[in-house]
Amino acid sequence: MDSCENAWDRPLVYEQGWKKRITWVVGSSIHETVDVTYRYTIEPVEVRSRRGAREPGVQQMITRFNNSRYSHLSESTRAALNKRLAKELTQMLLKANEGQQSQEQYGGRESGSLSWRRERGETDDPTLGQIITVPEDATQYTVRYSPASDVYTDGTGAVLARGFNSLAYSNEDVVRKAEYDWNMVYLARQKNESISTIEWRVKCPRPIVSASLSMLHTTFNMSVVEWCCLPTSTSNLTYHEEFSDIDLTLLQGCTEFRLIARMKSVLPADNAWQHTQLFRTKLDGNESPFEICLDF
């Protein structure tokens, strides 16, 4: 129960709603302590990756702690606790390893001021208003996004922000989808949405001399991804089905521009939302299929 969020039995709200990167969640009672992390995630592979070599040591510590508690219990109570623990662990692991999005929708954090929640990246505000701001002294600037790690980095590899929404200007029904059976991850439309749009905006300290952008997408079954990249001052937006068709020389001389991806399906289908994929890459990969390189 989370009284601040008015939530009961909704363990995925923190990962799917608040966009938190879960590593450890531990539950404790009068009799035992249990690692319940896998009840709170649908991304077990990423959780295990973040835990690294620490996981066996922590599990051993929990086991030793529980053994000391069990020593004071009757044999029948210990048997009942072990049976319950085995059942719960099996349920958690099976659910997590399915790698399926819950049918329930999770919004962002409700408690706290909006500015504080936005700063922490815990909102579900459809108008995010985030702007990628180039440092004042930059003569060159690069920003990349990796869907596998779900982080933005600069040209040196330093992390700029975590979560694909953290540097998005607006997001209309776009979600990050991990396919554990295919070992792939990408941005896609929210389930049951026919059209979804995400926009990024970039603000520069002085006019752009040259711009190089690389944006990859994948489509299936006649679905379409359309791209638009123009100075923010341009009112008439033109979309292209191939990003390479965009004339990036139009960015020369401007100090602010917008990048928009619009995903839509032509044919109706239960899984049509998966037929438009932005930045599809391997879950264990380190590719950055979103890249903006600017010279000033």
Side-chain angles (χ1 to χ4, degrees):
M1 181 178 71
D2 190 326
S3 58
C4 293
E5 300 299 300
N6 193 28
W8 169 260
D9 195 23
R10 302 183 73 211
L12 296 179
V13 69
Y14 307 105
E15 180 183 79
Q16 299 301 299
W18 295 16
K19 310 304 179 187
K20 306 305 289 184
R21 292 162 62 84
I22 303 295
T23 303
W24 299 97
V25 182
V26 177
S28 186
S29 73
I30 190 173
H31 294 310
E32 62 186 348
T33 295
V34 181
D35 177 6
V36 296
T37 308
Y38 294 105
R39 192 182 298 280
Y40 288 76
T41 183
I42 60 170
E43 300 178 346
V45 175
E46 297 184 10
V47 168
R48 287 192 284 269
S49 175
R50 287 193 289 272
R51 289 182 170 192
R54 296 173 296 171
E55 183 165 16
V58 173
Q59 298 297 354
Q60 291 172 10
M61 181 178 64
I62 291 175
T63 299
R64 289 196 301 269
F65 186 70
N66 285 338
N67 287 340
S68 67
R69 287 186 171 187
Y70 290 171
S71 64
H72 303 290
L73 302 176
S74 66
E75 184 175 345
S76 60
T77 301
R78 290 199 300 270
L81 289 173
N82 285 327
K83 183 178 180 180
R84 185 181 69 179
L85 177 60
K87 181 179 179 180
E88 289 184 347
L89 289 176
T90 300
Q91 290 175 342
M92 281 191 290
L93 290 174
L94 284 176
K95 182 178 179 181
N97 282 309
E98 286 175 357
Q100 300 294 325
Q101 286 279 2
S102 169
Q103 295 299 311
E104 186 175 2
Q105 299 300 311
Y106 295 93
R109 185 173 189 153
E110 296 180 7
S111 56
S113 68
L114 178 59
S115 60
W116 179 74
R117 285 180 284 145
R118 278 181 170 171
E119 183 179 342
R120 293 167 58 88
E122 295 175 351
T123 68
D124 194 33
D125 189 345
T127 306
L128 304 179
Q130 302 300 317
I131 297 177
I132 300 172
T133 303
V134 179
E136 289 286 339
D137 57 349
T139 57
Q140 294 180 322
Y141 190 70
T142 298
V143 58
R144 300 184 177 98
Y145 170 71
S146 166
S149 58
D150 198 23
V151 299
Y152 291 90
T153 57
D154 64 14
T156 68
V159 174
L160 297 174
R162 300 185 183 276
F164 75 95
N165 265 335
S166 60
L167 288 183
Y169 183 79
S170 66
N171 177 355
E172 298 178 11
D173 304 312
V174 175
V175 297
R176 179 175 173 271
K177 169 67 176 176
E179 293 182 343
Y180 295 99
D181 48 351
W182 293 99
N183 192 39
M184 302 300 291
V185 61
Y186 49 86
L187 303 189
R189 304 200 312 272
Q190 186 81 275
K191 193 170 184 178
N192 299 323
E193 294 296 332
S194 58
I195 299 178
S196 297
T197 303
I198 185 168
E199 177 180 350
W200 295 268
R201 292 200 180 187
V202 180
K203 183 176 182 180
C204 309
R206 50 192 168 278
I208 296 171
V209 174
S210 65
S212 173
L213 281 73
S214 176
M215 302 289 150
L216 303 183
H217 72 262
T218 305
T219 59
F220 303 91
N221 296 349
M222 297 179 64
S223 294
V224 177
V225 173
E226 298 175 324
W227 294 93
C228 175
C229 187
L230 288 167
T232 306
S233 58
T234 303
S235 57
N236 295 323
L237 304 183
T238 303
Y239 288 86
H240 302 267
E241 292 188 14
E242 295 296 333
F243 190 82
S244 57
D245 291 339
I246 294 177
D247 183 5
L248 294 179
T249 62
L250 295 175
L251 301 183
Q252 294 177 3
C254 79
T255 57
E256 296 184 27
F257 67 91
R258 63 199 308 184
L259 169 67
I260 307 172
R262 184 167 64 186
M263 298 178 278
K264 57 185 181 179
S265 288
V266 176
L267 301 177
D270 290 341
N271 61 343
W273 59 279
Q274 289 183 290
H275 294 166
T276 51
Q277 303 177 5
L278 301 182
F279 319 131
R280 178 182 173 92
T281 188
K282 291 186 178 297
L283 265 171
D284 54 1
N286 57 6
E287 298 91 345
S288 297
F290 169 113
E291 182 178 74
I292 299 174
C293 300
L294 305 173
D295 288 301
F296 306 97

